[in-house]
Amino acid sequence: MNVQIIDPLQGDFPEVIEEYLEHGVMKCVAFNRRGTLLAAGCSDGSCIIWDFETRGIAKELRDKDCVAAITSVCWSKYGHRILVSSADKSLTLWDVVEGEKIAQTTLSQTPLQARLHPGSSTPSICLACPFSSAPVIVDMSTGITTLLPVSLSDTENGVVPPPRNKFSDGSTPFSPTAACFNKYGDMVYVGNSKGEVLIIDHKNVQICGIVPIPGNAVIKNMVFSRNGQYLLTNSNDRTIRIYENLLPLKGGLKFLEESNHAGDEQDKFEKLKAVGSRCLTLFREFQDSITKVHWKAPCFSGDGEWVIGGSASKGEHKIYIWDRAGHLVKILEGPKEALIDLAWHPVHPIVVSVSLTGLVYIWAKDYTENWSAFAPDFKELEENEEYVEREDEFDLMPETEKVKESDVDEDEEIDIMGVEKDSGFSDSDMSQGEICFLPADPSPDLPEPQDKFVGSTSKQGDSNQSASALSEEAGQSARLTSHISPPL
């Protein structure tokens, strides 16, 4: 048997269902940057924010005018805002603390996914991927939308290769289209139905590079790792591919502009392919060679060391976990319910999955009891052993401690106000205003109906006599049952 699958010391990845969350019919989930809050979009148009530490509801964002199902939720960088896309073609930007709408706009098509600009603390720019049109950049403050190109023919009149895939009606093969921002949001990576990844300068609406996907299959999902070093694509050929980002995290757009100015005598399409080969390189491919399943909502772990993908088969809730080297390390099997969304916790080895019935399952590591955590010198014995004590072991002041000198500097000042930088976040020193928790917001009690008390005043005198008689009978029966009932 494969040792890498059965070895429990391979790494920190979830193993069992620890708990599940239930509130209406939830469709999609997203963690905030620290993993302390979990946003879930529901089928009734509401967005529920869970406190992931207490597993309780911290806030409910509800628009009275929107009752359509939520298709995606996205947090801003520091957790002040949430972008919600709905099946009624609307995009809504919410203030998390106040629970109020900041802006709302309506698109021409239903947005399947929407992402806020990752480089701003209070963003108003977002990227939306409609169902049957090209991705758009939307300015929520002004409502202006900018259509992004999905092929070279949309921006240039150069030589374009013939399309690999065509629809039955002969329409342009670019729907649906996947897209995502890079780490700092200065570029957009678009995957089209021709099996190409387009690197786009969204401010100038210009294609800077093209990366062909092996097999030219339709790209369904795209997501960057947290550190921006790797790009994940999920294609229609049932293969998940990992690309290594060769561009610098900051200043990558400047590098692309310099590359495009050189070699003007070359064909436009070939030049963009050459530039794309210097931006992304294929790193790994993941697939199930036996069952050939389609993948649902693949993503990276918080540290980028693991890759997960849910089975898109109906009636099964399976999650595949690979390490970045390409080895399958675990297959998580849940209830007999289809899986529709996945999210990995940014810090801990916890995975959250959404089932077709609307439940959110929390997968965590199966920890075993370790008594040495309470006493570091504790040692479990398999059988009895004879122990010979030292001469001074039970003395009040052993000789060994008398000889030992303390190497602790008692005059050193201890910093109790400073906060250490978290190695898991590259820019944690800039997040003083970040929202990690929300104050408790108890739901008000429903007012009791008043008509009961209006009609009951006239009958109060009659009911007092009957109530007293009933209370006497209840007291006698209680005394009888107290003698008959057996002791506990």
Side-chain angles (χ1 to χ4, degrees):
M1 186 176 286
N2 193 350
V3 179
Q4 293 164 345
I5 294 182
I6 64 175
D7 186 7
L9 302 177
Q10 269 287 315
D12 287 337
F13 50 82
E15 297 170 334
V16 295
I17 294 179
E18 180 184 64
E19 197 178 350
Y20 69 90
L21 305 177
E22 183 177 9
H23 183 87
V25 181
M26 290 177 278
K27 294 291 186 180
C28 51
V29 290
F31 280 105
N32 68 335
R33 186 166 167 263
R34 300 282 174 173
T36 55
L37 299 173
L38 177 70
C42 301
S43 61
D44 60 352
S46 63
C47 179
I48 306 299
I49 300 178
W50 298 83
D51 189 326
F52 203 70
E53 302 295 329
T54 62
R55 309 293 165 84
I57 296 177
K59 182 81 70 175
E60 181 178 0
L61 307 176
R62 181 181 292 274
D63 186 4
K64 296 180 181 179
D65 300 330
C66 176
V67 294
I70 303 297
T71 58
S72 71
V73 290
C74 178
W75 290 84
S76 64
K77 185 176 183 180
Y78 294 147
H80 295 272
R81 298 181 176 184
I82 282 183
L83 179 66
V84 175
S85 63
S86 305
D88 60 354
K89 307 178 184 179
S90 66
L91 292 175
T92 307
L93 188 62
W94 291 89
D95 186 299
V96 175
V97 177
E98 301 296 333
E100 299 176 353
K101 286 192 298 183
I102 299 176
Q104 189 174 31
T105 185
T106 303
L107 303 179
S108 59
Q109 299 290 337
T110 300
L112 299 180
Q113 190 181 53
R115 292 291 178 262
L116 284 171
H117 192 281
S120 174
S121 58
T122 55
S124 60
I125 303 296
C126 69
L127 171 66
C129 298
F131 175 70
S132 59
S133 66
V136 292
I137 295 292
V138 183
D139 190 343
M140 297 296 295
S141 59
T142 61
I144 299 176
T145 61
T146 304
L147 203 66
L148 295 180
V150 293
S151 63
L152 188 60
S153 58
D154 294 341
T155 56
E156 300 290 339
N157 294 323
V159 179
V160 182
R164 281 83 169 179
N165 305 317
K166 287 187 177 180
F167 297 118
S168 57
D169 57 355
S171 60
T172 307
F174 61 80
S175 80
T177 307
C180 66
F181 283 109
N182 64 340
K183 181 175 173 59
Y184 292 103
D186 54 348
M187 290 181 290
V188 173
Y189 287 68
V190 176
N192 59 18
S193 60
K194 300 178 183 180
E196 299 168 344
V197 175
L198 308 182
I199 305 173
I200 298 176
D201 176 8
H202 62 86
K203 291 184 178 180
N204 299 321
V205 195
Q206 181 181 2
I207 298 177
C208 301
I210 297 177
V211 181
I213 299 294
N216 301 326
V218 178
I219 299 175
K220 300 188 296 182
N221 303 100
M222 294 180 66
V223 61
F224 263 97
S225 62
R226 191 181 185 85
N227 56 9
Q229 296 290 344
Y230 297 94
L231 174 67
L232 181 149
T233 63
N234 177 27
S235 302
N236 216 20
D237 59 354
R238 306 171 187 183
T239 303
I240 298 174
R241 294 176 176 88
I242 306 297
Y243 287 85
E244 185 177 359
N245 184 18
L246 303 179
L247 292 176
L249 296 181
K250 290 185 177 181
L253 190 58
K254 183 178 180 181
F255 171 81
L256 290 178
E257 291 175 355
E258 295 175 355
S259 301
N260 285 326
H261 287 311
D264 292 335
E265 70 281 353
Q266 197 177 8
D267 180 68
K268 182 68 174 179
F269 181 74
E270 294 298 329
K271 187 178 73 171
L272 291 177
K273 284 179 60 178
V275 173
S277 63
R278 296 194 295 270
C279 300
L280 296 175
T281 179
L282 184 61
F283 183 72
R284 288 285 183 271
E285 290 186 352
F286 306 101
Q287 62 179 348
D288 192 338
S289 57
I290 299 176
T291 59
K292 297 289 186 180
V293 297
H294 286 277
W295 303 110
K296 194 79 173 179
C299 62
F300 289 97
S301 62
D303 56 1
E305 294 295 328
W306 309 95
V307 177
I308 60 172
S311 172
S313 301
K314 295 181 179 179
E316 66 177 15
H317 200 97
K318 286 186 178 181
I319 302 174
Y320 291 70
I321 302 178
W322 298 273
D323 60 5
R324 211 163 56 187
H327 303 120
L328 179 65
V329 297
K330 193 74 175 179
I331 300 178
L332 307 177
E333 296 190 18
K336 299 297 182 182
E337 302 169 1
L339 185 148
I340 58 177
D341 199 9
L342 275 176
W344 192 300
H345 193 279
V347 181
H348 302 298
I350 297 175
V351 169
V352 172
S353 62
V354 184
S355 68
L356 188 61
T357 58
L359 296 178
V360 173
Y361 294 97
I362 301 174
W363 300 78
K365 191 171 179 62
D366 188 14
Y367 293 100
T368 57
E369 293 184 354
N370 184 10
W371 292 98
S372 62
F374 302 98
D377 56 347
F378 180 83
K379 180 181 178 183
E380 295 184 14
L381 301 178
E382 299 292 339
E383 56 184 8
N384 292 334
E385 294 181 5
E386 184 179 358
Y387 178 72
V388 180
E389 66 182 42
R390 300 194 313 270
E391 184 65 28
D392 61 343
E393 184 171 1
F394 296 101
D395 295 346
L396 293 178
M397 184 64 69
E399 296 294 334
T400 56
E401 292 188 6
K402 292 179 182 179
V403 179
K404 188 185 301 182
E405 295 181 359
S406 176
D407 54 353
V408 178
D409 186 7
E410 298 181 356
D411 297 332
E412 183 182 0
E413 294 184 0
I414 301 176
D415 183 15
I416 62 173
M417 301 299 293
V419 179
E420 293 184 359
K421 184 176 179 179
D422 193 346
S423 60
F425 302 94
S426 59
D427 49 359
S428 60
D429 55 340
M430 300 169 55
S431 55
Q432 287 85 2
E434 185 172 0
I435 295 177
C436 295
F437 299 98
L438 291 175
D441 188 14
S443 300
D445 295 333
L446 296 176
E448 297 182 0
Q450 301 293 330
D451 53 349
K452 292 183 179 180
F453 300 100
V454 174
S456 61
T457 55
S458 61
K459 300 180 180 179
Q460 186 175 4
D462 299 335
S463 62
N464 287 337
Q465 298 178 358
S466 60
S468 60
L470 290 174
S471 61
E472 292 178 359
E473 294 179 1
Q476 294 176 0
S477 61
R479 288 193 292 271
L480 291 175
T481 54
S482 63
H483 293 293
I484 297 172
S485 60
L488 293 176

